[in-house]
Amino acid sequence: MNAAAASLPVIIVGGGFSGAMLAARLAELGQATVLIERGEQVGLGVAYSTPLDDHRLNVRAERMSARPDRPADFTDWLALHAPAFADPNGFAPRRLYGLYVQARLAEAEAAPPGLIRRVKGEAVRIEGETVILADGARIPGRAVALATGNPPPRPAVAGDGPRRIADPWRPDALAAIAPDDDVLILGSGLTMVDVVLALQAQGWRG
Ligand SMILES: Cc1cc2nc3c(=O)[nH]c(=O)nc-3n(C[C@H](O)[C@H](O)[C@H](O)COP(=O)(O)OP(=O)(O)OC[C@H]3O[C@@H](n4cnc5c(N)ncnc54)[C@H](O)[C@@H]3O)c2cc1C
């Protein structure tokens, strides 16, 4: 790599947990980054965007530190900011984990300042080490890290209709479901559990 390229930032596409924490770790090493996120919020992604306290982490709090050098980092943060959930063996709301990730990113942005540049936009193409956004902006880097997470769910069953919800993670995806509506959920994993909890929280009695 020539000297000019080496002075460029690392471009990180995707500002969920992985992108935000990669930027934080690289800042600690003195490496500048550009963190590109298409959504309104950085550090949350699908998993930690939920506002519901019933949507819990599926890993005990004591194992959710985002800092390998500080294993108790998340439980210490909970003790300060949400003491009711500071039990190391407990399963804290995912919403709190999102706030924790955002706090750790903000900490990295402050010390030293100026190493992490946030860009709001959707990356649509990569040419060499240059990332091109949907609005045509070109962001050159020394390397590109893809931290784009999982794509939104695609319908696993053919067919369509106004009452079919293909992506239950979309904001307000369940809002049109009335308390006595019959709901058929296809799939029986963690997303199903979250959907049932979200429906109950909005007063659904089905
Ligand atoms: C419902 C649910 C619950 C979960 N619960 C847990 C848990 O309890 N514990 C646990 O450890 N893990 C959990 N996970 C897994 C969790 O998602 C991962 O641990 C982690 O959040 C993944 O981070 P990520 O940065 O790879 O992806 P994401 O957090 O999904 O972030 C990807 C980001 O990239 C952005 N992006 C995508 N494409 C582009 C583009 N072209 N341009 C710009 N931005 C883009 C997206 O907007 C998004 O913000 C859960 C996942 C889900 C879906």
Side-chain angles (χ1 to χ4, degrees):
M1 186 183 296
N2 64 39
S7 68
L8 290 171
V10 170
I11 314 294
I12 303 172
V13 181
F17 172 82
S18 303
M21 292 301 92
L22 176 61
R25 295 292 84 78
L26 288 175
E28 281 169 13
L29 300 173
Q31 172 62 54
T33 55
V34 176
L35 185 57
I36 302 172
E37 170 56 48
R38 66 184 173 191
E40 294 302 322
Q41 296 269 4
V42 169
L44 304 187
V46 170
Y48 311 122
S49 294
T50 173
L52 294 182
D53 275 358
D54 283 343
H55 286 169
R56 299 297 176 106
L57 293 170
N58 55 23
V59 177
R60 293 180 199 283
E62 65 180 359
R63 298 190 54 206
M64 285 300 290
S65 170
R67 298 204 49 122
D69 56 327
R70 298 204 304 242
D73 195 51
F74 180 49
T75 46
D76 288 349
W77 183 92
L78 284 173
L80 264 183
H81 299 280
F85 294 105
D87 175 5
N89 284 313
F91 297 89
R94 298 206 299 267
R95 158 186 93 70
L96 291 176
Y97 197 73
L99 294 178
Y100 162 71
V101 172
Q102 290 182 326
R104 287 299 170 256
L105 177 62
E107 199 175 78
E109 285 174 319
L115 281 178
I116 302 174
R117 179 161 77 91
R118 297 187 190 193
V119 169
K120 172 141 177 10
E122 174 155 30
V124 290
R125 208 166 60 248
I126 298 172
E127 290 173 5
E129 283 80 40
T130 295
V131 175
I132 294 121
L133 304 186
D135 65 5
R138 300 174 67 88
I139 305 179
R142 63 182 295 187
V144 180
L146 293 179
T148 50
N150 293 313
R154 271 176 306 165
V157 181
D160 209 348
R163 303 287 289 163
R164 171 186 169 132
I165 298 165
D167 177 6
W169 298 118
R170 203 169 27 80
D172 293 329
L174 310 177
I177 297 175
D180 293 310
D181 278 351
D182 285 333
V183 178
L184 175 65
I185 303 177
L186 300 183
S188 58
L190 293 175
T191 299
M192 177 278 290
V193 174
D194 277 0
V195 166
V196 171
L197 291 170
L199 285 171
Q200 284 178 341
Q202 70 185 45
W204 179 71
R205 299 181 288 256

